[in-house]
Amino acid sequence: MKLSKRQEQIAQIVREEGPVTGSAIAEHLEVTRSALRSDLSVLTMLGVLDARPNVGYYYVGLSKETQTAERLKSFLVSDVLSQAVVVSGGETSLYDTIVTIFTEDVGTILVCDDSYLVGVVSRKDLLRASMGQTDSHAMPISMIMTPPVSKVITVEPTDTLVEAAQKMIDYEVDCLPVVVREDVGNKKRLKVVGRVSKTTVAKVFLECSIH
């Protein structure tokens, strides 16, 4: 839960001057004591403040869990996206894609034409396609990729990291293409600007938990 501007002011006053009574806080902010009642209740409920009878409010601070949650909510996909691992849809074979996915050590390959998304291939897709395949050099990757018009789930740079993580959980995927949507005539194209993965989420969570 994000604190309002007045709640942040109250927390600052109590941190600097506490313990302090509600009346003193109200006087400092030039409002009535009753006007602060809901704000003080929220801050006490969140554990930011505590109160003692005949003493007043004193500062406790946000719990570690609350701080971590708030930091995670502040991240946008654009803050954490990494470079996408891409192959060309018109030129790349099944064999070349298999080599790329293991060389780059990723779980998903994006298939693009001139930076625009035309499909996605996972390790499972490659394994399934290569079983019983006598000539993986001859099979174009476009024959086994999942095209965007069907099941490809994407995120945009302005989406939050939490929204991206929820999509990965909901659709049971390990990685999402980060795209910018462009309208060209009657066609809508997805320009790839990066990717975000479960590993990305885990790294950000660890960073927020440590600091």
Side-chain angles (χ1 to χ4, degrees), residues 15-210:
R15 181 166 52 239
E16 294 176 352
E17 302 181 12
V20 59
T21 64
S23 298
I25 297 171
E27 183 177 349
H28 197 289
L29 294 175
E30 299 182 345
V31 296
T32 63
R33 172 69 176 82
S34 59
L36 293 183
R37 187 172 291 113
S38 61
D39 291 318
L40 290 169
S41 297
V42 168
L43 291 169
T44 303
M45 178 186 67
L46 290 175
V48 178
L49 304 181
D50 203 350
R52 292 179 180 173
N54 303 320
V55 176
Y57 293 92
Y58 61 95
Y59 185 77
V60 177
L62 290 172
S63 66
K64 185 70 173 179
E65 292 78 9
T66 302
Q67 291 180 50
T68 299
E70 290 300 324
R71 287 196 66 193
L72 283 172
K73 291 178 184 177
S74 70
F75 282 96
L76 299 178
V77 168
S78 59
D79 298 326
V80 300
L81 61 81
S82 58
Q83 184 175 355
V85 179
V86 173
V87 296
S88 172
E91 304 172 358
T92 310
S93 67
L94 170 60
Y95 176 83
D96 291 334
T97 306
I98 292 173
V99 171
T100 301
I101 204 167
F102 283 101
T103 301
E104 299 292 338
D105 193 23
V106 293
T108 303
I109 292 280
L110 306 186
V111 185
C112 295
D113 281 339
D114 296 327
S115 298
Y116 291 95
L117 186 68
V118 295
V120 172
V121 183
S122 68
R123 290 196 182 205
K124 289 182 179 179
D125 295 329
L126 296 176
L127 177 61
R128 188 181 304 113
S130 61
M131 292 177 64
Q133 178 60 238
T134 57
D135 190 0
S136 58
H137 292 273
M139 176 178 282
I141 196 61
S142 57
M143 290 186 64
I144 66 168
M145 69 183 186
T146 301
V149 293
S150 56
K151 297 181 180 179
V152 175
I153 310 302
T154 64
V155 289
E156 298 184 37
T158 53
D159 292 337
T160 66
L161 182 59
V162 171
E163 290 172 326
Q166 190 63 58
K167 280 189 175 183
M168 283 187 273
I169 292 171
D170 291 343
Y171 294 98
E172 299 181 347
V173 294
D174 296 328
C175 174
L176 295 173
V178 182
V179 301
V180 175
R181 300 177 186 276
E182 296 181 358
D183 292 327
V184 181
N186 295 326
K187 294 183 178 180
K188 292 186 177 181
R189 300 197 296 179
L190 304 177
K191 186 176 181 63
V192 174
V193 295
R195 70 186 181 99
V196 62
S197 66
K198 287 184 178 179
T199 301
T200 306
V201 177
K203 286 180 178 178
V204 173
F205 178 81
L206 183 60
E207 179 184 336
C208 291
S209 299
I210 293 175

